[in-house]
Amino acid sequence: MRKYFGTDGIRGRANGVITPELALKVGQAAGLVFQRGDHRHRVVIGKDTRLSGYMIETALVAGFTSVGMDVMLLGPMPTPAVAMLTPSMRADLGVMISASHNPFEDNGIKLFGPDGFKLNDDVERAIEALIDGELHKKLAGPRDLGRAKRIESAHARYIEFAKRTLPRNVTLDGLRVVVDCANGAAYRVAPETLWELGAEVIAIGVDPDGFNINHDVGSTAPAALAAKVRELRADIGIALDGDADRVLIVDEKGQSVDGDQLMAVVARSWKDDDRLTQPGIVATIMSNLGLERFLGGIGLGLARTAVGDRYVLEHMREHGYNLGGEQSGHIIMSDYATTGDGLVAALQLLSVVKRQERPVSEVCHCFDPLPQILKNVRYRSGTPLQQDAVVTAIAHGRERLGETGRVVIRPSGTEPVIRVMAEGDDRSLVTEVVDDIVDAVAKAAA
């Protein structure tokens, strides 16, 4: 168990869990862990648009410079842009200040190594040990302190990178695109990228004020996007989350398309083009059984991992896959990026739409998803999943669904919640199974 790091960096309430004191120590500890060799060390820092980003950014700068690292500040930038720019700018470390799809009251710190990949558990443990250690004994001397400066070219560099993920002969001419940037990190780069590629762009969720990130906009609240797509008769809607590492698509009818369907579209396209490095893709235990059956029908496999894009990516790297992701819209295309990139995933879909010259609703309907029910049970403390009544309820649910369905129970990695999910061909049976397990967990948690 790690004390500070969860499934996606360090995350919590701003000025509650994520305090200036913690950010200072994270900067010092991470800076010390990544000082390897006698060269001048440097770190790039990006952030989303939360008010607390100013506070955390300043504390991190103090931490890194106090151990002798130079800091390059990118300003509001998508998480995948930070991951891309870290090796591009020969930085020893990359930092993204964001709580992703959470409300503005939360914030977080994500770290990337010099290769642009998220840190593994061992490195995170090493950083935690230093955070709780005697950091004051390891500070740089007065002559060895770091410097900080803002990088003005970061946005243009990321836009060019995103455009280069499409073949040279592909443009978005003739497409009317509504893009919802969740009042978050991509509010500048996403609309500009789509426009430069030739699309007619209508942008919403591009007026951040420090408080409105993810508020009734973005991939977790697609109703506004769907309404705008229908109103303007657009060809497609693209919804990003607060740090733009995930995407949700809305078709021309205003219907949502999740990450499972998006992975199916890209998997089939890449298979036809002989671009898959393995005969399959990687997804998590939460991806719909319908996706697995669809892939099997076209000769591809589905490898499943624990929830979290870092675990998807670890499996991809270990076994040589170049496509994976999550139902929530984290799509990882390792030919281009070291983490989920919502904008790049949307561009890959748009290239398929242009090539097939079919509506998005047709392109993105690869399979009928099986009924899938997910409910959350909040608890205060303890281990309700280990209670005998809960264990029995879970076993009984799996027995009832048999081989035609699945039950997935997991504690959240970011909040005190147990997620109960089941899926199968019979919706009423799936609902009964979930409700029975939820009741057992709720009683144990009480």
Side-chain angles (χ1 to χ4, degrees), residues 141-398:
R143 287 185 175 273
D144 298 320
L145 295 173
R147 293 179 169 88
K149 64 178 179 180
R150 295 208 168 267
I151 306 298
E152 302 298 335
S153 63
H155 292 85
R157 293 176 69 153
Y158 176 68
I159 289 171
E160 285 305 311
F161 153 78
K163 288 162 60 180
R164 285 199 304 270
T165 63
L166 291 181
R168 287 184 177 272
N169 62 338
V170 174
T171 72
L172 304 183
D173 292 348
L175 286 180
R176 177 177 290 182
V177 179
V178 182
V179 60
D180 180 352
C181 299
N183 292 316
Y187 77 98
R188 285 177 55 189
V189 295
E192 288 182 28
T193 301
L194 293 164
W195 182 84
E196 289 185 15
L197 285 167
E200 177 188 348
V201 180
I202 300 95
I204 63 175
V206 289
D207 297 299
D209 60 9
F211 307 100
N212 60 1
I213 186 170
N214 300 316
H215 182 67
D216 294 335
V217 286
S219 62
T220 54
L225 175 64
K228 185 64 71 173
V229 168
R230 288 192 295 265
E231 174 193 342
L232 300 177
R233 297 183 180 179
D235 298 294
I236 190 172
I238 300 169
L240 304 171
D241 68 338
D243 67 335
D245 64 353
R246 71 166 71 180
V247 63
L248 181 139
I249 299 298
V250 169
D251 67 24
E252 77 283 359
K253 300 176 182 178
Q255 300 299 309
S256 294
V257 178
D258 67 10
D260 283 348
Q261 295 281 4
L262 186 51
M263 283 189 284
V265 172
V266 178
R268 180 166 58 187
S269 174
W270 284 15
K271 178 180 182 291
D272 292 343
D273 294 340
D274 198 27
R275 291 181 56 189
L276 290 174
T277 54
Q278 292 290 340
I281 69 172
V282 182
T284 75
I285 54 176
M286 300 302 287
S287 277
N288 195 277
L289 198 55
L291 172 63
E292 190 169 345
R293 293 177 181 177
F294 165 78
L295 292 172
I298 61 173
L300 297 177
L302 177 65
R304 292 186 184 269
T305 73
V307 173
D309 62 317
R310 62 180 290 178
Y311 301 113
V312 172
L313 183 57
E314 285 174 5
H315 193 93
M316 290 172 63
R317 296 180 73 186
E318 183 177 351
H319 298 281
Y321 291 85
N322 63 341
L323 176 61
E326 296 187 279
Q327 187 184 58
S328 60
H330 278 116
I331 311 298
I332 304 172
M333 302 170 177
S334 59
D335 291 351
Y336 307 121
T338 58
T339 186
D341 191 321
L343 178 58
V344 168
L347 292 179
Q348 289 298 310
L349 171 62
L350 287 168
S351 71
V352 176
V353 171
K354 285 289 289 186
R355 183 167 62 180
Q356 295 188 4
E357 296 184 338
R358 295 164 58 211
V360 174
S361 59
E362 295 180 14
V363 172
C364 289
H365 188 76
C366 294
F367 62 90
D368 291 321
L370 270 66
Q372 188 180 81
I373 307 295
L374 171 65
K375 293 188 178 182
N376 298 326
V377 185
R378 189 167 291 274
Y379 66 100
R380 295 191 177 185
S381 61
T383 53
L385 289 182
Q386 296 179 16
Q387 300 294 322
D388 290 343
V390 175
V391 173
T392 300
I394 294 171
H396 182 55
R398 289 190 169 129

Side-chain angles (χ1 to χ4, degrees), residues 97-109:
I97 304 167
S98 176
S100 190
H101 57 280
N102 287 27
F104 92 93
E105 293 92 345
D106 294 339
N107 216 326
I109 301 170

